[in-house]
Amino acid sequence: MEHIQFFSDKSSVSKEKIAEYKEKANQCISALHEGTGKGNDFLGWLHLPSSIDETQFAEIENTAKLLQDSCEVVVVIGIGGSYLGAKAVIDALSNSLDWLQKVRKSPIIVYAGHNISEDYLFELQEFLKDKKFGIISISKSGTTTEPALAFRLLKTQLEEQQGKAQAQKLIIAITDRSKGALRKLAEQEGYKTFVIEDNIGGRYSVLTPVGLLPIATAGFDIRQLVAGAAFMESYCGVETPFEKNLAAQYAVVRNELYQQKGKKIEILVNFHPKLHYVSEWWKQLYGESEGKDHKGIFPAAVDFTTDLHSMGQWIQEGERSIFETVISIKKPNHLKTVPFDTENLDGLNYLAGKRVDEVNKMAELGTMIAHVDGDVPNLKVEMPKLNEYYLGELLYFFEKACGISGYLLGVNPFDQPGVEAYKKNMFALLEKPGFEKETKAIMEKLK
Ligand code: PA5
């Protein structure tokens, strides 16, 4: 069976250079596995794939079935790590025009609580007006403003449309075991709940019910997703030699490029628009994990070939502070060949009979050669196919590499103290009770 592979551009970081990191990388891996590194109280994700049991799968699948049987639309409420993993997987596996499908096996999944836009919430509520809908409300802390605000609006709407008793059945809460407003509310209202364990941070939670329940509700095979992740868990495990450990290799190459070659920005590249949100998930994972202590690669992303016509110029000839990591899919799921045209007015007959993917792959190869020639080092993560299993491999690969990479950089990859700064100011400006001192201080600043 094929698996995900990682390739790095030898002209930018040599094999010998990578080998020099062996001891350091192995120390980082041991620190993760022995729980002796920074943020060691947030390592619950490390053995998560291999530890999910039949009872947990069944509970998630039964809840998904209930939502599928009763809802045309399910609203997933959450922000950051509480929605990006689910959206990444659902978008990657869904038909590109999913929302236009008339005949559906599963509810349409829409998202809320990931912004505070009044227009977004108005338009969502208008859309839901004549729909049978349910809610999966996700917040680990149970106190985040964006999802709490969206939940207040949508809970009220659901109760008005379907009655309180039915709404109670169609709201699922995923939150802390005992703390937070969402836990309190869920217990008072009698909602079905799932727990996010204390030792798993939001951005590492895609393989908990946070990601698995929305993904199962959208009709995808969570067992395959977890099986792929479990394979990668052992494939990149503590016993895997450094030379064969894909996660360690990726972590090392990106740190070498950042720390020794001045490549401060990593651009995650895809050649399939379905992967757009995989990049968004990856950006959060690496941005929140490494961007601290005034250090960290800036994670950016582009969708090619689309963005070759917007960002291509900058990437080819702008400041030489970037490198790329390309997610490449070996085989597409569908077949489409270029037709022959007798008139050939568009001059495309030289492509007649070729698969569209062959054209895409030549664009991918041509871009890689051009960018390497232009001093943009290229790394590649190759997936055999786009399906649940390989997405599971991909998610775990990036999670494990992120932990190793954060330790190589010398930061705590599992906290996010910087996220609090905007919240404090927002609460002060909104005059939230308990923030009186901050309100006074910020008003002074604004004078
Ligand atoms: O990765 C993280 O920890 C964050 O992005 C959180 O997921 C995000 O801030 C949402 O937090 P919560 O789930 O507590 O509402």
Side-chain angles (χ1 to χ4, degrees), residues 79-82 138-144 147 196 201-204 284 288 416 419 423:
I79 193 164
S82 288
I138 310 170
S139 178
K140 180 172 173 179
S141 62
T143 55
T144 309
I196 312 173
R203 59 191 176 274
Y204 281 86
Q284 192 221 358
E288 270 192 3
Q416 55 286 326
V419 181
K423 290 187 194 168

Side-chain angles (χ1 to χ4, degrees), residues 419-438:
V419 181
E420 295 311 309
Y422 97 92
K423 290 187 194 168
K424 200 179 92 190
N425 287 346
M426 177 176 78
F427 293 148
L429 292 164
L430 288 168
E431 300 182 34
K432 183 176 175 173
F435 282 76
E436 292 75 11
K437 221 172 82 210
E438 285 82 358

Side-chain angles (χ1 to χ4, degrees), residues 208-220:
T208 72
V210 170
L212 298 182
L213 181 61
I215 293 166
T217 305
F220 299 111

Side-chain angles (χ1 to χ4, degrees), residues 48 91 113 188 212 326 361:
L48 182 64
D91 280 14
Q188 193 167 307
L212 298 182
V326 179
K361 287 285 187 310

